[in-house]
């Protein structure tokens, strides 16, 4: 079943009424449970595409369906609810609250979830355990390595049990060893928990942890291929 359906998607920005196309007629489907990497050089449109897929921006033309419903049919309130409950986001810069513990950072998406507050602690601890950081519950971000901060960000994205996790250059600020650990975690979340993963990256090595790579160039899809020799995770989430 297609979770995401994109048809002839276009996005144009206007600066002093001068149009700058970012996406030019992009079409693809992403099935529930897929792990897809979206690659491309700087300026190719990959971040713009992620923002539209994650309800953080709107397309200029074309059609985008999420979970069977066209984005234009969602109200702003519905879009906010879906972002909170069905989508998780992981960014290159972590976006953690610096003076707040790991546990409290991971609880943040639950504030607007409508879930009973009595359940927040267990849900957050389960998500933190899924990324192997149970021993860091009460640490603040300043006490963590870059790789650990990104694992906290993944736990925060995971805490609401989203259908899809959007990861925007999640290894961009990390050394190679920490980056490998992050990709192993994302791969296991896909394989063992069934989360759909959409990864934005410019690194071929990182992209090859996915099942499929969509290559963008100048706002158009240059190729869309399956990964024949997929890099496999060799660590397991405990």
């Amino acid at each position: 079943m297609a979770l995401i359906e994109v048809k002839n998607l276009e996005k144009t920005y206007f600066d002093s009424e001068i149009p700058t196309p970012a996406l030019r007629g992009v079409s693809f489907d992403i099935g529930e449970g897929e792990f897809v990497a979206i690659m491309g050089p700087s300026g190719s449109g990959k971040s713009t595409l992620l923002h539209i897929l994650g309800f953080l921006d709107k397309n200029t033309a074309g059609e985008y369906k999420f979970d069977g419903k066209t984005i234009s049919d969602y109200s702003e309130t519905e879009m906010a609810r879906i972002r909170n409950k069905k989508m998780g986001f992981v960014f290159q810069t972590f976006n953690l609250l610096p003076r707040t513990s790991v546990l409290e950072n991971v609880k943040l998406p639950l504030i607007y979830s409508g879930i009973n507050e009595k359940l927040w602690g267990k849900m957050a601890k389960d998500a933190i355990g899924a990324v192997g950081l149970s021993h860091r519950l009460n640490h603040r971000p300043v006490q963590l390595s870059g790789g650990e901060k990104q694992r906290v960000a993944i736990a925060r994205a995971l805490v609401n049990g989203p259908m899809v996790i959007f990861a925007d250059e999640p290894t961009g600020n990390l050394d190679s060893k920490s980056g490998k650990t992050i990709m192993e975690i994302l791969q296991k979340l896909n394989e063992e928990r069934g989360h759909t993963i959409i990864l934005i990256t410019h690194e071929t090595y990182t992209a090859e942890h996915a099942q499929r790579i969509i290559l963008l160039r100048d706002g158009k899809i240059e190729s869309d291929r399956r990964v024949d020799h997929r890099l496999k995770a060799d660590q397991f989430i405990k």
Side-chain angles (χ1 to χ4, degrees), residues 15-234:
D15 183 8
S16 300
E17 299 185 359
I18 299 172
T20 302
L23 295 173
R24 308 165 184 253
V26 172
S27 299
F28 60 87
D29 292 349
I30 294 177
E32 195 169 342
E34 272 198 274
F35 188 155
V36 178
I38 298 173
M39 287 190 69
S42 178
S44 62
K46 58 186 186 297
S47 291
T48 297
L49 179 57
L50 180 140
H51 289 161
I52 293 171
L53 298 181
F55 288 7
L56 300 171
D57 199 357
K58 291 186 178 180
N59 49 302
T60 306
E63 186 176 76
Y64 169 33
K65 288 185 179 180
F66 179 82
D67 201 17
K69 188 173 178 180
T70 303
I71 185 173
S72 59
D73 292 335
Y74 287 107
S75 68
E76 292 295 331
T77 300
E78 287 176 315
M79 290 172 70
R81 179 180 57 81
I82 288 170
R83 275 196 304 267
N84 181 262
K85 293 190 173 183
K86 295 188 177 182
M87 298 176 175
F89 296 88
V90 180
F91 298 101
Q92 180 176 346
T93 52
F94 319 132
N95 294 344
L96 302 178
L97 297 180
R99 299 181 181 178
T100 303
S101 71
V102 166
L103 182 62
E104 295 303 317
N105 264 286
V106 174
K107 283 183 182 179
L108 285 174
L110 299 171
I111 293 173
Y112 304 102
S113 68
I115 296 170
N116 190 317
E117 190 172 351
K118 293 179 180 178
L119 302 175
W120 293 2
K122 182 181 186 305
M123 293 174 69
K125 288 176 183 177
D126 287 347
I128 293 165
V131 299
L133 283 181
S134 295
H135 60 299
R136 294 280 196 256
L137 284 179
N138 298 312
H139 286 62
R140 288 178 294 132
V142 70
Q143 298 171 295
L144 305 177
S145 68
E148 287 173 331
K149 290 176 185 176
Q150 195 59 291
R151 286 155 72 182
V152 175
I154 292 173
R156 183 183 56 196
L158 184 64
V159 71
N160 267 337
M163 297 175 72
V164 56
I165 295 175
F166 295 102
D168 190 0
E169 299 279 7
T171 64
N173 282 339
L174 306 178
D175 60 69
S176 58
K177 182 178 179 181
S178 297
K180 182 172 181 288
T181 298
I182 294 304
M183 293 314 303
E184 288 168 349
I185 289 171
L186 290 174
Q187 199 173 74
K188 285 300 173 181
L189 291 175
N190 171 250
E191 292 178 352
E192 297 185 354
R193 297 184 175 220
H195 294 285
T196 303
I197 308 288
I198 298 178
L199 169 73
I200 300 293
T201 184
H202 64 276
E203 300 168 333
T204 301
Y205 172 83
T206 301
E208 287 180 348
H209 283 84
Q211 299 163 327
R212 174 181 164 201
I213 298 175
I214 296 173
L215 178 62
L216 290 180
R217 192 176 299 277
D218 298 326
K220 297 180 180 180
I221 294 179
E222 186 170 276
S223 63
D224 183 348
R225 65 177 178 88
R226 307 297 297 182
V227 179
D228 294 327
H229 303 289
R230 185 183 182 196
L231 295 176
K232 300 294 289 181
D234 57 15

